[in-house]
Amino acid sequence: MLAANPPARALDPQRGLGQLHHTAWTIEDGAPPDIWALAQSADGYLWLGTGGGLYRFDGVRFEEFRPVAGESLPSANINALFADPQGDLWIGFEAGQISRLRGGRLTTFSPGVAGASVLQIAGGRNNDIWAALMGRRRGGLARYANGRWTMVGQSRGLPPGGVSSVLAARDGSIWAATGGWLWVLRPKARTFERTGEPALERARIFQARDGRIWLSPGGALPVHAIAPALQPAGVKGAPPGPVSPSLEGSGEPIWVDRDNVLWGARTRGGIFRIAAARRSATDRASLHPSVERFTLGDGLSSDIASPLLEDREGNIWVGTNLGLDRFRQTNTVAAPGLPATSRQGFQAAAGQNGTVYVLTGDRLFKVHADREAEPIARLEGRPRSLYVDRSNGVWVGFEHGFARLEGSRLRFVTLPGGVKGGVVGWLETSGGLLCASVLDQGVFCKDAKGWERAPAPLGTLRRAPVQMVSDAGERLWLNYEDHLVLLDGARQTVFSGKDGLTVGSIEIVAAVDDEVYAVGDFGVARFDGRRFQTLRSDRHPLLSRLSGIAKGADGAIWLNGLKGVVRVTAADMASAFADPGRPVRTALFDLDDGLPGVAQQDSNTPTVISTTDGKLWFVTSHGVAWMDPRHLSRNPLPPPVSITRLVAAGQSFAGLSAIDLPAGTTSFQIDYTALSLAIPDRVRFRYQLETIDAGWVDPGLRRQAFYTGLGPGRYRFRVIAANNDGVWNRTGATLTVVIPPTFAQSIWFKIIIAGALLAGGWLLYSMRMRQVASTIRLQLEERLRERERIARELHDTLLQGFQGLVYRFQSAIDMLPASHRARANLEEALDLADTALAEGRDRVRNLRTGPTDDDVAQHFAGTAAHSAPTNAGAFQLVTEGHPRPLHPVVRAEILRIGDEAILNAIRHSAAQKIVVSIVYHSREFLLQIADNGVGIAPELIARGGRHNHFGMTGMRERAEVVRGSFSIASRPGGGTQVTLTVPASIAYVHKARGGKRLFRCRLPLGD
C-alpha cells in the first residue's frame, strides 16, 4: 500500500525553520529519554531505540515494546535501528548483539565481535543486512545473509578495526567508514577499495534521494557530498556547499530530505538545516548556502540531538536525550518578526507588491511573506484602524484623530473646527474621495482642497458607522454593528434581524465580487437583493464568531473565525444559501495548520486580507499569518491502520489477527490506531463489529472500541481511518474474535433445557388434566348418587303409596257387582294406573346405575331399527377400537345425544344413508352420526334449532355436562355430520393404557 501511493509533499525549502510547524514531546509528555536511533516500519510506526529500551510511537502514544513470554531483549541500551522492506525491524545494541523483530517475535544474534557496539545497520539491495561495529581497538563490518552473520575483514580488503558507519547504496555498492578512510565495495567487485575521502572516528555516511552520497567525516573536516561519478544526470537543485564543523558539526548524524535540504546534529548543540545553495543578490557568480540553526532556546526538546529521520509523509524527526521533535509543512505561515501578542490587538491592511502593513500596540510594521517584518514607525496613542489607499498611502486611526505615514513618521491630520474622535471606518469612493468615519462626529472626506465634512448623504448621517464599504454597484453599506444601512443615491434602507440579518453583532460587511456578505457572532449572511439569508453557527458550528471574509485566488470563500480559518468553495456556498438547513461542506485550518491563534474579535476591521500576489493574510489573537490558496499542501497517503491489542477478562492480546477468548466472555475492549504522523490529532476512524453494529460507528478521534453484553459466537471487527486531509484507507485492519460457549450456553444445554421444559409442561398439562378429570368424575359420581337417592325415594314413597292405592281401589271394585255401571269405568282407570306405575318403575330404573357392559353400538342399532320406517335408507354402524365400559352418567348422556341425532336424521333429513361411527380411542371417545340428506340451514345451526324445538340445544347441554366437545357440520343439500368427543379420562370407567393398536369391527345392521 505504501509503495502504491505517491509520497507526500516535502518541507518547503523556501521556508525558514521558524516557519515550519515544530512539535516537541518531552519526558513530561510520555516520551522516553536518550533516543539514539529512529526508524519507520512498513506499517507506519515510528520506532525509537533508546538507552532504556525499544519504543514505538503512533503520533499520539508512546508504547514500550515488551517481548512475548520466554523472550527478552539482550540489552536495554539500543544504538541502531533499521526497518527492512520485508517488514522486519533490526535492532543494534550497545553490548554488541543484534535482534530481529518479526511478527512480534524476537530472534537475537551475536555477530562475533565481543565488546564492540553496534553503531549502524543498513539493508542491501539483495536483502542482505550490514552492521557497523565499533569498540575500543576492535570492531568491524558484519554481514547477514542466508540466515547467519559473518564478519567482513581483511580477506575482502578492509583494514582491521572498528567501523563507525555503513551504507548500502541503491546501486548495490557498500560504503564503510573505517581506518581513517571511506571504503567502497563496488557492484560485482570482490573487495573493498579505499576512496580519497578521509573518515575519522565518528564519520557518518548518508545517501540522498537523488543518489548523491553525503559524508560527515568528523573532526575539523566539513560535511559534503562525494562520489560525483554516481550522481545521476539532471539532479534536482544544486547541493549545498561544504559545511564547516566550526559552524555546525562533523561526525554527527546527517539527513538529506527529498528536496535536497541537509539536516544535521550540531556539535555545539541543537540541529542545523541547509537549503540548496542560492546565489547572492550582489554576486551572482557565487553560491551561498542558507544555514539555519534550531536549539533548546528555539523550542527543541534538548540541545543534545542525535538521530534524524524523514518519514513517508515528509516530516522530519529528531531524537534527543530528553525527547522527540517533529518538523512538518503547514499551509499557514506565521509572519516572522512580529510580537507574539499585542494588548491593543493587531490591525492589518494590504499594500502594493504583496506587502502587508501591520499595527501592533506601539509600532507599525511592513511585513513580507519571505523575510522578517520591518518596523517602520512608532505609534503615539492607541491605534483603532489601519488603511492603505490606492496610491499606497498608509493611514492610521487613533482614539483622538488619525495620521498619515510620511517616511518613518506619522503626520496627524487636522479636521475642520478642530474635530477629534476615534477613527474606525475608511472608504475610498470611485470618484477618488478618501473618507474617514469619526465616532460621535460624522464622516469626513479628503478632496483637492483638503479634509471637509462628507457631502450628502454621508455628511448628513446622525451617527458615524464603524465601517464603510462600497459594493460592485457603487452603493454604500454602513455597518452600525446591530444593523446595516444601504445608501443607494439619496435612498437609505435599514437591514436588521427582521430582514434575515441574524448574525448577532455585525463584525464586518464585505463586498465579494457581486455579493454582499455580513459576518458576526452567529454566522455569515448574504444579501439576495431584497433581504439577507443567514447561515447560523448553531447549525454550522465552524461559522462561529467570524470577523473576516474574502475571496481567495483559488475562487473559494475564506472566513476567519473562532474555530479557525474556514474555506468554502463558491459552489458549496451557493448550495448552502439555497438550502440553509443542510450542512456546509468546508475545510478547516487551525493551530495545527500553522495559525498562531484564533481570529481577532471585536475590532470591526477585516481579519482576512487578500494581497496582489494571490496570498491571503489572517489577523489572529497572536499575530498575523499568510497562506497561498493556490498551493495548499495535501497529504495524499492513506494511513496504515493497526489493531494494537484486545483486552478481555483481565488479559491483553496483541499482534494477532484472530483471538480465541475464554468461554463465557461477555465484554472486551479493542485498541486501534492509524499511522499518519503529520497531524495525528486529525485522524478520523470508523469501526464496525459485524453482527453487532448495524453500520459504521464514528468515534471521532477516539482510538478504542468497547463492547459489552456479548454472547458466544464468531465476531469480525473492522476499522478504517482517514488522514488529516480526509484520505481514507478503506481496507483498514480486521480482527476475528471467537467466544466459545460455556456448557450453559452450548446447544446441548439448550436441548436439555428445552426437553426439560417440554417434559415439565407435559407433566403440568397431565396433572392439570387429571385434576380436571377427577373434578368432573367427582361431579358425575355425585350426580349418580343423587339420581340413585331420588330413585329410592320415588320407589319407597310415591310408587309404593301409589301401588297401595291401586290395591285399595281394586278391593273396592271387587266389592261392586259386575253389572254396576261404575265398575267398567273404575277398572279402566285401574288399567291406566297400572300403565303409569310401569312407566314410573321404568323411570326409577333409569335413574339407577345400569350394567357397565351395555353395548352402545347395539343400543344405537336398536334405536334405528325401532324408529326407522320401512322405506328408510341404509343404516350403517362402524366401531373402531376395543369397546370399553363407559361411566354410567357419561354413557347415559352419550346415548341421549346419539338417539337424538339418529332420530333427527331418520325423521327430517330424507337421507339415503346414515352412518354411525363409534371410536374407542386411548385419548378420547368419539361418536359421529353422518347422513347424506338435505342438511340444515346455517342460521338454524347458529340459532340452535327451530323455535320451541330444543333437540340441538339439549345435545349441546348434555355434551357440556360430560365436558365433551360437540359440533354440527352441515350445508343445504350436503348432508349433516354430528360429532361428540369426550376425553378418555372422563368417558371411561378405568384409564386406558396408551399404545394399544386400534382395530375396526364393522357391524352392518340392516339395509
Side-chain angles (χ1 to χ4, degrees), residues 621-658:
S621 57
H622 285 72
V624 179
W626 62 268
M627 175 191 296
D628 191 341
R630 300 162 300 181
H631 301 98
L632 296 178
S633 176
R634 188 172 186 271
N635 185 356
L637 299 178
V641 183
S642 298
I643 296 174
T644 57
R645 66 171 183 165
L646 180 145
V647 179
Q651 292 181 282
S652 179
F653 305 86
L656 301 173
S657 59

Tab-separated table of all heavy atoms in Angstrom, residues 621-658:
chain	number	residue	atom	x	y	z
A	621	SER	N	-5.300	36.380	17.197
A	621	SER	CA	-5.057	36.906	18.539
A	621	SER	C	-3.584	36.898	18.906
A	621	SER	O	-3.185	37.560	19.863
A	621	SER	CB	-5.845	36.077	19.557
A	621	SER	OG	-5.491	34.697	19.458
A	622	HIS	N	-2.768	36.138	18.159
A	622	HIS	CA	-1.341	36.036	18.473
A	622	HIS	C	-0.475	36.287	17.244
A	622	HIS	O	0.575	35.674	17.078
A	622	HIS	CB	-1.018	34.665	19.071
A	622	HIS	CG	-1.467	34.508	20.476
A	622	HIS	ND1	-2.796	34.377	20.813
A	622	HIS	CD2	-0.779	34.493	21.656
A	622	HIS	CE1	-2.911	34.261	22.128
A	622	HIS	NE2	-1.707	34.337	22.661
A	623	GLY	N	-0.886	37.192	16.402
A	623	GLY	CA	-0.055	37.548	15.268
A	623	GLY	C	-0.791	37.465	13.959
A	623	GLY	O	-2.014	37.293	13.897
A	624	VAL	N	-0.020	37.599	12.889
A	624	VAL	CA	-0.553	37.600	11.534
A	624	VAL	C	0.107	36.461	10.763
A	624	VAL	O	1.312	36.218	10.906
A	624	VAL	CB	-0.291	38.954	10.839
A	624	VAL	CG1	-0.815	38.940	9.419
A	624	VAL	CG2	-0.916	40.085	11.638
A	625	ALA	N	-0.661	35.746	9.964
A	625	ALA	CA	-0.148	34.618	9.190
A	625	ALA	C	-0.642	34.710	7.762
A	625	ALA	O	-1.665	35.335	7.479
A	625	ALA	CB	-0.587	33.297	9.817
A	626	TRP	N	0.099	34.061	6.848
A	626	TRP	CA	-0.298	34.082	5.448
A	626	TRP	C	-0.444	32.665	4.903
A	626	TRP	O	0.074	31.699	5.459
A	626	TRP	CB	0.694	34.875	4.595
A	626	TRP	CG	2.098	34.314	4.562
A	626	TRP	CD1	3.121	34.645	5.383
A	626	TRP	CD2	2.602	33.320	3.656
A	626	TRP	NE1	4.244	33.926	5.074
A	626	TRP	CE2	3.955	33.113	4.014
A	626	TRP	CE3	2.055	32.599	2.609
A	626	TRP	CZ2	4.767	32.196	3.336
A	626	TRP	CZ3	2.851	31.687	1.927
A	626	TRP	CH2	4.192	31.488	2.296
A	627	MET	N	-1.160	32.588	3.797
A	627	MET	CA	-1.404	31.314	3.119
A	627	MET	C	-1.540	31.586	1.634
A	627	MET	O	-2.075	32.620	1.229
A	627	MET	CB	-2.688	30.666	3.667
A	627	MET	CG	-3.120	29.394	2.957
A	627	MET	SD	-4.790	28.866	3.433
A	627	MET	CE	-4.541	28.505	5.159
A	628	ASP	N	-1.054	30.671	0.818
A	628	ASP	CA	-1.238	30.765	-0.630
A	628	ASP	C	-2.309	29.755	-1.034
A	628	ASP	O	-2.046	28.549	-1.075
A	628	ASP	CB	0.068	30.463	-1.363
A	628	ASP	CG	-0.021	30.806	-2.848
A	628	ASP	OD1	-1.150	30.926	-3.366
A	628	ASP	OD2	1.031	30.954	-3.489
A	629	PRO	N	-3.536	30.201	-1.318
A	629	PRO	CA	-4.619	29.250	-1.630
A	629	PRO	C	-4.366	28.417	-2.874
A	629	PRO	O	-4.980	27.364	-3.051
A	629	PRO	CB	-5.844	30.156	-1.815
A	629	PRO	CG	-5.480	31.460	-1.195
A	629	PRO	CD	-4.004	31.597	-1.344
A	630	ARG	N	-3.471	28.880	-3.731
A	630	ARG	CA	-3.198	28.151	-4.974
A	630	ARG	C	-2.222	27.002	-4.760
A	630	ARG	O	-2.067	26.158	-5.646
A	630	ARG	CB	-2.627	29.106	-6.021
A	630	ARG	CG	-3.556	30.261	-6.389
A	630	ARG	CD	-2.800	31.385	-7.062
A	630	ARG	NE	-1.754	31.923	-6.180
A	630	ARG	CZ	-0.960	32.937	-6.517
A	630	ARG	NH1	-1.085	33.517	-7.704
A	630	ARG	NH2	-0.029	33.365	-5.676
A	631	HIS	N	-1.543	26.974	-3.640
A	631	HIS	CA	-0.534	25.939	-3.385
A	631	HIS	C	-0.731	25.368	-1.983
A	631	HIS	O	0.124	25.500	-1.117
A	631	HIS	CB	0.878	26.509	-3.536
A	631	HIS	CG	1.158	27.075	-4.895
A	631	HIS	ND1	1.061	28.420	-5.172
A	631	HIS	CD2	1.503	26.465	-6.054
A	631	HIS	CE1	1.348	28.630	-6.443
A	631	HIS	NE2	1.617	27.460	-7.002
A	632	LEU	N	-1.890	24.755	-1.786
A	632	LEU	CA	-2.171	24.136	-0.490
A	632	LEU	C	-1.515	22.765	-0.435
A	632	LEU	O	-1.623	21.966	-1.371
A	632	LEU	CB	-3.674	24.007	-0.269
A	632	LEU	CG	-4.461	25.323	-0.179
A	632	LEU	CD1	-5.938	25.039	-0.002
A	632	LEU	CD2	-3.939	26.185	0.966
A	633	SER	N	-0.833	22.511	0.646
A	633	SER	CA	-0.205	21.206	0.847
A	633	SER	C	-1.271	20.193	1.240
A	633	SER	O	-2.107	20.455	2.108
A	633	SER	CB	0.855	21.298	1.944
A	633	SER	OG	1.394	20.025	2.207
A	634	ARG	N	-1.236	19.034	0.606
A	634	ARG	CA	-2.219	17.989	0.888
A	634	ARG	C	-1.508	16.665	1.072
A	634	ARG	O	-0.597	16.322	0.320
A	634	ARG	CB	-3.244	17.892	-0.243
A	634	ARG	CG	-4.419	16.959	0.061
A	634	ARG	CD	-5.481	17.062	-1.024
A	634	ARG	NE	-6.662	16.295	-0.671
A	634	ARG	CZ	-6.830	15.004	-0.980
A	634	ARG	NH1	-5.889	14.362	-1.653
A	634	ARG	NH2	-7.929	14.365	-0.629
A	635	ASN	N	-1.926	15.944	2.069
A	635	ASN	CA	-1.348	14.633	2.364
A	635	ASN	C	-2.100	13.576	1.564
A	635	ASN	O	-3.254	13.263	1.873
A	635	ASN	CB	-1.459	14.347	3.864
A	635	ASN	CG	-0.764	13.058	4.251
A	635	ASN	OD1	-0.262	12.322	3.404
A	635	ASN	ND2	-0.725	12.775	5.541
A	636	PRO	N	-1.479	12.987	0.529
A	636	PRO	CA	-2.208	12.027	-0.316
A	636	PRO	C	-2.147	10.592	0.181
A	636	PRO	O	-2.721	9.700	-0.431
A	636	PRO	CB	-1.476	12.150	-1.656
A	636	PRO	CG	-0.060	12.424	-1.271
A	636	PRO	CD	-0.117	13.244	0.004
A	637	LEU	N	-1.425	10.344	1.272
A	637	LEU	CA	-1.186	8.970	1.706
A	637	LEU	C	-2.259	8.506	2.682
A	637	LEU	O	-2.405	9.091	3.758
A	637	LEU	CB	0.183	8.862	2.382
A	637	LEU	CG	1.391	9.225	1.512
A	637	LEU	CD1	2.661	9.107	2.324
A	637	LEU	CD2	1.456	8.344	0.282
A	638	PRO	N	-2.998	7.468	2.340
A	638	PRO	CA	-3.934	6.910	3.324
A	638	PRO	C	-3.143	6.278	4.465
A	638	PRO	O	-2.118	5.633	4.245
A	638	PRO	CB	-4.711	5.854	2.527
A	638	PRO	CG	-3.817	5.497	1.394
A	638	PRO	CD	-3.021	6.724	1.059
A	639	PRO	N	-3.585	6.459	5.685
A	639	PRO	CA	-2.789	5.968	6.818
A	639	PRO	C	-2.910	4.460	6.987
A	639	PRO	O	-4.005	3.905	6.900
A	639	PRO	CB	-3.410	6.697	8.012
A	639	PRO	CG	-4.820	6.933	7.602
A	639	PRO	CD	-4.805	7.164	6.113
A	640	PRO	N	-1.784	3.776	7.241
A	640	PRO	CA	-1.895	2.362	7.619
A	640	PRO	C	-2.657	2.239	8.939
A	640	PRO	O	-2.484	3.059	9.839
A	640	PRO	CB	-0.427	1.920	7.785
A	640	PRO	CG	0.374	2.954	7.079
A	640	PRO	CD	-0.396	4.226	7.173
A	641	VAL	N	-3.502	1.239	9.026
A	641	VAL	CA	-4.347	1.050	10.207
A	641	VAL	C	-3.897	-0.219	10.924
A	641	VAL	O	-3.637	-1.245	10.285
A	641	VAL	CB	-5.834	0.954	9.825
A	641	VAL	CG1	-6.705	0.841	11.066
A	641	VAL	CG2	-6.240	2.173	9.006
A	642	SER	N	-3.795	-0.134	12.236
A	642	SER	CA	-3.370	-1.285	13.038
A	642	SER	C	-4.311	-1.463	14.216
A	642	SER	O	-4.782	-0.484	14.796
A	642	SER	CB	-1.945	-1.093	13.570
A	642	SER	OG	-1.018	-0.985	12.519
A	643	ILE	N	-4.580	-2.722	14.530
A	643	ILE	CA	-5.271	-3.068	15.773
A	643	ILE	C	-4.198	-3.476	16.762
A	643	ILE	O	-3.514	-4.488	16.569
A	643	ILE	CB	-6.297	-4.185	15.543
A	643	ILE	CG1	-7.401	-3.701	14.587
A	643	ILE	CG2	-6.899	-4.638	16.864
A	643	ILE	CD1	-8.378	-4.773	14.187
A	644	THR	N	-4.007	-2.671	17.786
A	644	THR	CA	-2.854	-2.862	18.661
A	644	THR	C	-3.073	-3.946	19.713
A	644	THR	O	-2.158	-4.707	20.012
A	644	THR	CB	-2.485	-1.545	19.358
A	644	THR	OG1	-3.630	-1.050	20.081
A	644	THR	CG2	-2.090	-0.501	18.327
A	645	ARG	N	-4.269	-4.022	20.265
A	645	ARG	CA	-4.493	-5.051	21.274
A	645	ARG	C	-5.974	-5.197	21.556
A	645	ARG	O	-6.780	-4.327	21.198
A	645	ARG	CB	-3.764	-4.735	22.575
A	645	ARG	CG	-4.275	-3.502	23.302
A	645	ARG	CD	-3.676	-3.363	24.683
A	645	ARG	NE	-4.228	-2.217	25.387
A	645	ARG	CZ	-4.111	-2.012	26.687
A	645	ARG	NH1	-3.459	-2.873	27.433
A	645	ARG	NH2	-4.647	-0.943	27.252
A	646	LEU	N	-6.299	-6.312	22.185
A	646	LEU	CA	-7.647	-6.575	22.688
A	646	LEU	C	-7.514	-6.925	24.155
A	646	LEU	O	-6.646	-7.729	24.540
A	646	LEU	CB	-8.318	-7.705	21.914
A	646	LEU	CG	-9.745	-8.068	22.348
A	646	LEU	CD1	-10.582	-8.479	21.145
A	646	LEU	CD2	-9.751	-9.211	23.369
A	647	VAL	N	-8.360	-6.324	24.975
A	647	VAL	CA	-8.343	-6.578	26.416
A	647	VAL	C	-9.684	-7.196	26.798
A	647	VAL	O	-10.747	-6.625	26.525
A	647	VAL	CB	-8.097	-5.286	27.220
A	647	VAL	CG1	-8.106	-5.584	28.708
A	647	VAL	CG2	-6.785	-4.639	26.807
A	648	ALA	N	-9.611	-8.372	27.432
A	648	ALA	CA	-10.833	-9.057	27.863
A	648	ALA	C	-10.502	-9.937	29.054
A	648	ALA	O	-9.453	-10.591	29.084
A	648	ALA	CB	-11.415	-9.904	26.728
A	649	ALA	N	-11.400	-9.929	30.011
A	649	ALA	CA	-11.291	-10.791	31.195
A	649	ALA	C	-9.936	-10.637	31.879
A	649	ALA	O	-9.331	-11.614	32.332
A	649	ALA	CB	-11.530	-12.256	30.808
A	650	GLY	N	-9.436	-9.408	31.925
A	650	GLY	CA	-8.170	-9.151	32.597
A	650	GLY	C	-6.944	-9.568	31.822
A	650	GLY	O	-5.826	-9.481	32.334
A	651	GLN	N	-7.106	-9.999	30.573
A	651	GLN	CA	-5.984	-10.414	29.749
A	651	GLN	C	-5.843	-9.469	28.563
A	651	GLN	O	-6.820	-8.910	28.064
A	651	GLN	CB	-6.177	-11.840	29.229
A	651	GLN	CG	-6.111	-12.907	30.305
A	651	GLN	CD	-6.277	-14.297	29.713
A	651	GLN	OE1	-7.382	-14.726	29.388
A	651	GLN	NE2	-5.165	-14.994	29.528
A	652	SER	N	-4.599	-9.304	28.091
A	652	SER	CA	-4.309	-8.451	26.947
A	652	SER	C	-3.745	-9.315	25.825
A	652	SER	O	-2.828	-10.121	26.044
A	652	SER	CB	-3.308	-7.361	27.329
A	652	SER	OG	-3.007	-6.550	26.211
A	653	PHE	N	-4.308	-9.162	24.634
A	653	PHE	CA	-3.875	-9.919	23.465
A	653	PHE	C	-3.396	-8.920	22.411
A	653	PHE	O	-4.122	-7.991	22.063
A	653	PHE	CB	-5.011	-10.761	22.895
A	653	PHE	CG	-5.653	-11.694	23.893
A	653	PHE	CD1	-6.690	-11.244	24.714
A	653	PHE	CD2	-5.221	-12.995	24.025
A	653	PHE	CE1	-7.285	-12.095	25.635
A	653	PHE	CE2	-5.812	-13.849	24.951
A	653	PHE	CZ	-6.847	-13.403	25.753
A	654	ALA	N	-2.191	-9.100	21.908
A	654	ALA	CA	-1.622	-8.149	20.947
A	654	ALA	C	-0.965	-8.898	19.799
A	654	ALA	O	-0.492	-10.034	19.950
A	654	ALA	CB	-0.597	-7.244	21.635
A	655	GLY	N	-0.959	-8.231	18.631
A	655	GLY	CA	-0.230	-8.754	17.486
A	655	GLY	C	-0.850	-9.964	16.834
A	655	GLY	O	-0.153	-10.738	16.178
A	656	LEU	N	-2.148	-10.184	16.990
A	656	LEU	CA	-2.814	-11.359	16.421
A	656	LEU	C	-3.929	-10.919	15.490
A	656	LEU	O	-4.530	-9.864	15.666
A	656	LEU	CB	-3.384	-12.248	17.532
A	656	LEU	CG	-2.377	-12.789	18.562
A	656	LEU	CD1	-3.118	-13.505	19.680
A	656	LEU	CD2	-1.385	-13.721	17.893
A	657	SER	N	-4.189	-11.740	14.476
A	657	SER	CA	-5.297	-11.455	13.570
A	657	SER	C	-6.560	-12.196	13.955
A	657	SER	O	-7.644	-11.881	13.464
A	657	SER	CB	-4.912	-11.833	12.131
A	657	SER	OG	-4.589	-13.217	12.051
A	658	ALA	N	-6.427	-13.209	14.821
A	658	ALA	CA	-7.579	-13.964	15.320
A	658	ALA	C	-7.310	-14.321	16.778
A	658	ALA	O	-6.198	-14.747	17.125
A	658	ALA	CB	-7.822	-15.222	14.494
